[in-house]
């Protein structure tokens, strides 16, 4: 494992200087799952919750979250994202919703944190909109699925 880039020699936190790096096309995909009662999932699917269209609101929340990542995560750089995608897959056989996000840019630093933040906040928004009918929901398995671009190269989860 390589050294931690956000830690100085003395152990203190620092922001990485990306000024001398080359701009490259970069993309990251992330996922998260939110498990819920079957009746809750059905309400989401049928758009039957009082707060409104859960997945549309969660999509917008995820997009907004990715754009705010530099303000939320202390050592993240503010990025000019070219694309943010948030998609949902209802999985009734597992009583859950799978969230997949994608962030792209041409820049000097990666977009993994933006993709992870979009997935996390989308899941949190679903929780918020459904909590009145299901307080036992569970968000889990937030992870990077794939990243490309930059010096560290292409990464695909579960391919190693």
């Amino acid at each position: 494992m390589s050294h931690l880039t956000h830690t100085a020699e003395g152990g203190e936190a620092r922001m990485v200087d990306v000024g001398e790096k080359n701009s490259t096309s970069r993309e990251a995909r992330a996922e998260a799952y939110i498990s819920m009662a079957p009746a809750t999932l059905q309400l989401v699917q049928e758009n039957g919750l009082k707060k409104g269209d859960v997945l549309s609101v969660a999509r917008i929340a995820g997009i907004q979250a990715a754009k705010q990542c530099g303000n939320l995560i202390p050592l993240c750089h503010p990025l000019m994202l070219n694309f943010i995608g948030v998609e949902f897959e209802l999985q009734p056989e597992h009583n859950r919703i799978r969230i997949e996000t994608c962030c792209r840019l041409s820049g000097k630093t990666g977009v993994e944190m933006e993709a992870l933040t979009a997935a996390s906040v989308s899941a949190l928004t679903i929780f918020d909109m459904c909590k009145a009918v299901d307080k036992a929901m569970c968000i889990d398995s937030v992870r990077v699925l794939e990243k490309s671009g930059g010096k560290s190269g292409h990464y695909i989860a579960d391919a190693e």
Side-chain angles (χ1 to χ4, degrees), residues 91-112:
Q91 299 179 336
E93 67 278 10
H94 299 294
N95 299 318
R96 67 186 184 186
I97 299 171
R98 179 178 177 268
I99 303 156
E100 184 173 327
T101 63
C102 178
C103 293
R104 285 194 288 262
L105 63 67
S106 179
K108 297 180 177 197
T109 188
V111 290
E112 298 93 332

Side-chain angles (χ1 to χ4, degrees), residues 20-102:
E20 299 302 316
K21 292 174 77 174
N22 293 324
S23 287
T24 61
S25 293
R26 297 165 183 264
E27 179 175 316
R29 293 185 313 108
E31 73 178 350
Y33 291 87
I34 180 164
S35 301
M36 59 192 63
T40 306
L41 186 60
Q42 185 171 354
L43 284 170
V44 171
Q45 186 171 12
E46 295 172 355
N47 202 14
L49 286 147
K50 288 185 179 182
K51 286 192 173 185
D53 184 344
V54 172
L55 299 182
S56 290
V57 174
R59 177 174 288 113
I60 297 300
I63 291 168
Q64 286 294 100
K67 295 192 304 187
Q68 292 299 315
C69 192
N71 294 325
L72 297 170
I73 311 293
L75 300 178
C76 282
H77 294 82
L79 302 179
M80 288 295 297
L81 297 167
N82 296 333
F83 173 77
I84 305 163
V86 179
E87 299 300 327
F88 304 100
E89 177 188 353
L90 277 63
Q91 299 179 336
E93 67 278 10
H94 299 294
N95 299 318
R96 67 186 184 186
I97 299 171
R98 179 178 177 268
I99 303 156
E100 184 173 327
T101 63
C102 178

